[in-house]
Amino acid sequence: MELTGKIALVTGSTAGIAAETARLLAAAGAEVVVSGRSAERGAATVRTITDQGGLARFVAADLSDLDSLHHLAAEAGAVDILVNNAAIFPGAPTVAQDVASFDASLATNIRAPYFLTAALAPAMVAKGSGSIVNVSTMAAKVGMPGLSVYSATKAALESLTRTWAAEFSPAGVRVNTVAPGPTRTEMVLAAMGEEGAQQVAKTTLLGRLATPREIAEVIFFLATDRAGYLTGATIAADAGRTAA
Ligand SMILES: NC(=O)c1ccc[n+]([C@@H]2O[C@H](COP(=O)([O-])OP(=O)(O)OC[C@H]3O[C@@H](n4cnc5c(N)ncnc54)[C@H](OP(=O)(O)O)[C@@H]3O)[C@@H](O)[C@H]2O)c1
């Protein structure tokens, strides 16, 4: 199989887009390290993989905590694929933004992928191959009221994608971003409800929400050698929302 012998760490794969990504990577033969804070949901993701004959294990981590992050990096070991997906989405108008959720957003959405990549990229560089996929959002490109901090963390992640490509790609490690549009996941439904999600969906050219699988397919593509000539790129998987 395409990814036999490869190890993939997918952060935030206890739910949503990344749980689907973990399933796709495992179905292609990768051994997947599933991670998140919830052991219960982590076990559920692992079960959906192992029930299909795939390889997966769960490592609990709260990525807003650096000790927990370094424990995850040590447990994962030398990975071939890193998907920086875990994120939080505490929306608030700028004038009402509280400092605690501002700091939590920076810690989870930016500091975590930064130091996880710093911990795991050296083994990829030493091996001369590897793929890092960062998960951003269309809101990094278009101004959306109430999403200031979230959007800024993701715009920073897109910038890091370019820097990391410049730092690691000469050694054979590709680094890319997927920037999804509105996708039917817990995060979105909890934050905006069905009606709010449908309103955002209507602003896309296709007029609907993505399924988690549709976004996971793009992450999968970037993670594998199918995207062998892509690095430093941000792929908009947003039904045209940032195109027109
Ligand atoms: N859904 C959308 O419409 C949409 C649109 C654009 C971009 N995105 C991006 O796509 C990615 C996935 O979103 P989603 O909708 O699939 O989200 P989701 O269903 O809420 O899943 C988020 C995941 O992140 C994990 N997570 C959150 N905080 C964490 C922490 N401190 N430490 C470790 N794990 C943590 C959660 O796991 P635990 O709860 O187990 O910790 C969960 O597995 C995110 O980067 C998001 O910004 C989503």
Side-chain angles (χ1 to χ4, degrees), residues 12 14 17 37-38 41 62-63 85 150 154 183 185 187-188:
T14 53
I17 291 167
R37 291 163 301 183
S38 166
R41 292 194 300 165
D62 179 350
L63 290 175
N85 165 88
Y150 173 72
K154 295 297 192 172
T183 307
T185 67
M187 179 193 250
V188 153

Side-chain angles (χ1 to χ4, degrees), residues 85-181:
N85 165 88
I88 56 170
F89 185 70
T94 300
V95 296
Q97 179 68 54
D98 67 279
V99 174
S101 56
F102 182 100
D103 287 347
S105 298
L106 265 61
T108 308
N109 300 2
I110 270 295
R111 193 178 68 183
Y114 189 96
F115 285 105
L116 200 55
T117 298
L120 296 174
M124 295 184 185
V125 167
K127 201 172 174 183
S129 66
S131 177
I132 299 170
V133 184
N134 296 320
V135 183
S136 177
T137 169
M138 69 184 192
K141 292 249 164 29
V142 292
M144 302 183 80
L147 291 185
S148 57
V149 181
Y150 173 72
S151 306
T153 62
K154 295 297 192 172
L157 191 58
E158 292 185 12
S159 170
L160 288 173
T161 296
R162 293 184 287 273
T163 305
W164 292 340
E167 290 184 352
F168 306 133
S169 295
V173 180
R174 296 180 302 99
V175 189
N176 294 288
T177 295
V178 177

